[in-house]
Structure formats: C-alpha cells, structure tokens
Amino acid sequence: MPASAPRATSDTGDDFLLTPGPLTTSRSVKEAMLHDWGSRDGAFVRINREVLEALPRIVNGEGDYVAVPMQGSGTFAVEAMLTTFVPPDGECLVLVNGAYGHRARRILDIARRRSVVYETPEDVPPDLAEIEALLARSPSITHVFAVHCETTSGVLNPVEEIGAVARRHGKAYLVDAMSAFGALPLDARAAHATAIAASSNKCIEGVPGLGFVVARAVDLAAAKGSATTLSLDLHDQWANFEKTGQYRFTPPIHVIVAFHQALREFWAEGGQPGRLARYEENRRTLVQGMRALGFETLLPDALQAPIIVTFHMPADPRFAFQEFYDRLKDRGFVIYPGKLTVADSFRIGCIGRLEASHMRLALDAVRDVMAELGVVSASPRRAA
Ligand SMILES: *Cc1c(COP(=O)(O)O)cnc(C)c1O
C-alpha cells in the first residue's frame, strides 16, 4: 500500500467490519463492559431481566413468548433450540439453501434426531408448494426448521409463509433468525413459530458471547425432559430463571451488560423499523456503488436481504482476491470471502454500527484498490 493510502477507522480506532459478524459496535456498547459484577449482583440480575423481557417484543411475541439466553455463540442457541424442541423420537424437516441449514442438519445428526432435508441452491428460496407436498406425504415429520436470512449468500427466505404451511400440517416450527433478528420484520405469532434463535452480536449490535431463543412458553413447558445435554437444555435454563432469576452456570456478564446497552441504542433508533431503514440505506449505497464499478450481485434485488451482499468475482485476471482483501484491510475495511458452491464470490456486510457514509468510504477504497491492481472492469464476464 502506498504510504499515502488513507485508512478509515471507527470511533475507537478499529477497522470497520463489513462481515456477517462479529460486527462493528458503538463505543458506548464497548464502554458498558468497563466494570466487574458478580453473577448474583442485584444490578446485574436486573439488567439481565430487562434484556430477557425486551427480546420477545422485537418479534411481537410479548405475552405468549419468553426469551431464554444461552451462553456461547449463535450456534449454541441453534443447537439448544433443536435439541430441546425436537425430542429423541421426533423428525425434523430441514430447509437448506446454505451453510447454516447444513449446520442444523449436522446438529440433528450428532444428537441422533431423525431429519429430512429439502435443499435448494444457495440463491434459491424453498418452494412453498414443494414443502406442502413433502409434509403431506410425510406424517412422521414433527418439526420444520428454516433459516430467515441465509447469511451464506444473503438470500431472504419466506419464513412467515413457511410457518403457515407448517401450521396447516400441525408441525412445530423452529427458525434460525440469527442474522435477521432486530432488522427484518418477523412476527412470531403470524409465523406460528415455536421458537426463534438469534444472538447478541448481529443486528442488535452487541458483542459476541450470548445466544438466545425466543420460544412460545407453552411449547417450552412441554419440552421438559426432551433435551439430551445438560448445558444446552433450554427448559432447564428457563426453569432455573423462573425459580431463582439466575443463570445455572457462569454467565458472560460483560457481554450481557453490553447487550443491554445495545438494546437501548436499538430502541433509540426506532427498534426494528429504524434499524432496517439504516441497513437498507447501507445496502442501496453499497450495491449502487459496486454496480457502477462493474461488480454484479449474485442475487436479484427481490431476494437480497439488507444484511450481507454477495458479489461475483471479477473475471479480469489482474483481480486477485487475497490482494484485494489485504489492501481493503489496510484501508480499514474488512470484507468476507464467499463460501458458495454456485459461484466464485465474496461478501460485503451492511450490518453493524455503520452508516451510508461508511459505505461510501468503503466504495472509495474499493475503487482505489481496483485502480492499484490495474483492474479496469469488475464484471464477472470475460470481455468478448
Ligand atoms: C451467524 C449465524 C449463525 C451463528 O453463527 P455463530 O458463528 O455460531 O455465531 C447461525 N445462523 C446464521 C444464519 C448466522 O448468520
């Protein structure tokens, strides 16, 4: 990098994380962690209770739904949800169009829960009529699992419509809403969701370390004794909160206190609609600017969630992804490699404490790096 290349930094001097998570967080969220609390400290117990009370509201579930936290990354919450709600004699239909659907299948396999997979390509949402037909001919299926925004590609899956189909066939419905929770509208009741898993470090913009499951209380009560692990048993975790207000095992206290601050900032921004508006503006700015440079998106705009955008690799042989990645990082922007089977690609995230002005700085950096590499067009098609 020429010594003169400008480096953009966040308000704490860090790179901007244009990734699927962990993400750029606000200074105030990080500052909330500058204290120690005991896990039985009254102030911490209150903060934790406020966090748990806020989460069902984000998916319009207050009254019928409760939030159960799970120490660990988002996958811990997904594993807790699947292994608490799908009993050992259950069978789960897993809708797969990316890595997170595959991961759910793997969790079920390891936990020796039976599953059936309906897979579509990474840029194609599942077909509702196909799900309908599958459920109609498979009475042994007890649960349906779907991913809201499949972060592998950024594709938006029709979670509420899938829930309606599951409901018509009397199936329980489990949703991995990790990368969408708090940004994309999701109504737990309208989706007929049994449980929805997400985490602290995606669209709520906390730091990583806490997953959670928003579950319908009657279904959670009925799941007593189904779990096959101690630490991931959501019913046991919940029952203990009901009884003592405490975690069973050491909670990630600093993460929870930062999450509490992140939720304050979330409500101050107007909750889910406010957050969605900022992310949509980020996506619009990013996609317009990248298209102006010749880049092409994997997904048509109608299937593209404002969470993370997948771009095709340019065809120009002077474009070397590692070099592109490293030079953007030198300028303060961390992007993400693709992991698609359908196309050679990379990803740029729209979520985290970022605004359109940051996306414009990132676009300036992309333009500069392309010029340095001598890439004239970013088109994925070879010039004729
Ligand atoms: C981020 C994410 C997860 C969880 O990933 P962790 O690395 O365990 O936090 C699960 N599902 C989806 C769709 C995600 O985007």
Side-chain angles (χ1 to χ4, degrees):
M1 170 177 85
S4 59
R7 177 172 176 259
T9 59
S10 77
D11 59 6
T12 41
D14 305 309
D15 291 337
F16 288 105
L17 303 176
L18 306 179
T19 67
L23 304 168
T24 296
T25 58
S26 68
R27 171 182 273 273
S28 37
V29 163
K30 289 185 277 284
E31 281 173 351
M33 295 186 286
L34 290 173
H35 299 281
D36 299 313
W37 296 266
S39 58
R40 285 155 196 265
D41 182 292
F44 168 70
V45 170
R46 179 184 52 78
I47 283 172
N48 184 65
R49 189 179 343 104
E50 287 176 7
V51 166
L52 297 186
E53 283 168 2
L55 296 172
R57 268 163 64 202
I58 296 173
V59 287
N60 202 21
E62 56 286 40
D64 292 343
Y65 288 78
V66 295
V68 187
M70 182 50 65
Q71 298 98 320
S73 83
T75 302
F76 290 65
V78 174
E79 188 152 10
M81 174 174 77
L82 287 168
T83 56
T84 298
F85 284 100
V86 182
D89 62 351
E91 181 172 335
C92 187
L93 169 63
V94 183
L95 306 179
V96 177
N97 55 355
Y100 295 102
H102 284 296
R103 188 176 296 176
R105 165 69 185 281
R106 197 146 170 251
I107 288 169
L108 290 163
D109 278 354
I110 289 170
R112 301 187 196 287
R113 267 52 166 190
R114 277 177 298 138
S115 60
V116 177
V117 169
Y118 165 37
E119 183 169 2
T120 50
E122 288 144 337
D123 51 353
V124 179
D127 180 62
L128 296 169
E130 192 69 40
I131 299 172
E132 185 93 53
L134 237 158
L135 293 181
R137 66 171 184 264
S138 315
S140 58
I141 290 174
T142 52
H143 291 68
V144 176
F145 170 89
V147 180
H148 193 175
C149 168
E150 215 342 321
T151 325
T152 310
S153 65
V155 70
L156 185 60
N157 287 320
V159 272
E160 292 195 4
E161 292 84 346
I162 296 166
V165 176
R167 157 83 170 192
R168 267 204 298 286
H169 291 270
K171 314 298 183 191
Y173 184 39
L174 307 174
V175 181
D176 171 356
M178 207 67 58
S179 60
F181 193 95
L184 301 180
L186 173 58
D187 186 305
R189 274 183 275 255
H192 305 288
T194 307
I196 297 167
S199 75
S200 55
N201 68 279
K202 297 226 166 151
C203 301
I204 306 293
E205 302 183 355
V207 303
L210 189 76
F212 58 87
V213 176
V214 175
R216 193 155 46 202
V218 289
D219 296 321
L220 184 58
K224 182 176 182 173
S226 289
T228 39
T229 67
L230 170 63
S231 54
L232 297 177
D233 184 342
L234 288 177
H235 183 277
D236 198 48
Q237 181 94 318
W238 176 55
N240 203 67
F241 275 114
E242 295 286 290
K243 215 162 62 202
T244 69
Q246 313 259 341
Y247 281 77
R248 296 172 300 163
F249 316 122
T250 305
I253 298 209
H254 298 77
V255 173
I256 294 162
V257 174
F259 194 29
H260 184 259
Q261 174 62 25
L263 282 162
R264 262 197 201 149
E265 295 172 18
F266 171 79
W267 296 119
E269 194 178 4
Q272 175 269 316
R275 190 129 302 179
L276 177 63
R278 175 160 59 84
Y279 290 171
E280 290 209 312
E281 178 69 14
N282 288 350
R283 171 187 56 178
R284 213 164 20 246
T285 305
L286 173 70
V287 169
Q288 270 175 15
M290 291 293 278
R291 283 182 179 154
L293 295 172
F295 285 96
E296 292 184 18
T297 59
L298 173 79
L299 297 168
D301 292 350
L303 292 180
Q304 174 69 63
I307 304 294
I308 192 162
V309 181
T310 300
F311 294 97
H312 287 284
M313 287 292 182
D316 188 324
R318 280 163 294 201
F319 184 90
F321 179 73
Q322 193 59 46
E323 195 62 28
F324 179 67
Y325 176 95
D326 290 342
R327 289 178 185 235
L328 285 178
K329 162 104 172 96
D330 287 341
R331 283 171 171 72
F333 296 99
V334 178
I335 64 168
Y336 221 63
K339 52 175 175 182
L340 294 186
T341 53
V342 292
D344 196 16
S345 61
F346 65 91
R347 293 177 283 174
I348 301 185
C350 311
I351 59 179
R353 186 91 327 221
L354 300 166
E355 296 172 6
S357 60
H358 299 119
M359 301 318 264
R360 281 191 285 273
L361 289 175
L363 288 164
D364 290 344
V366 169
R367 194 176 306 110
D368 288 352
V369 169
M370 298 286 281
E372 281 174 27
L373 297 178
V375 179
V376 180
S377 165
S379 168
R381 278 174 261 278
R382 297 214 169 260

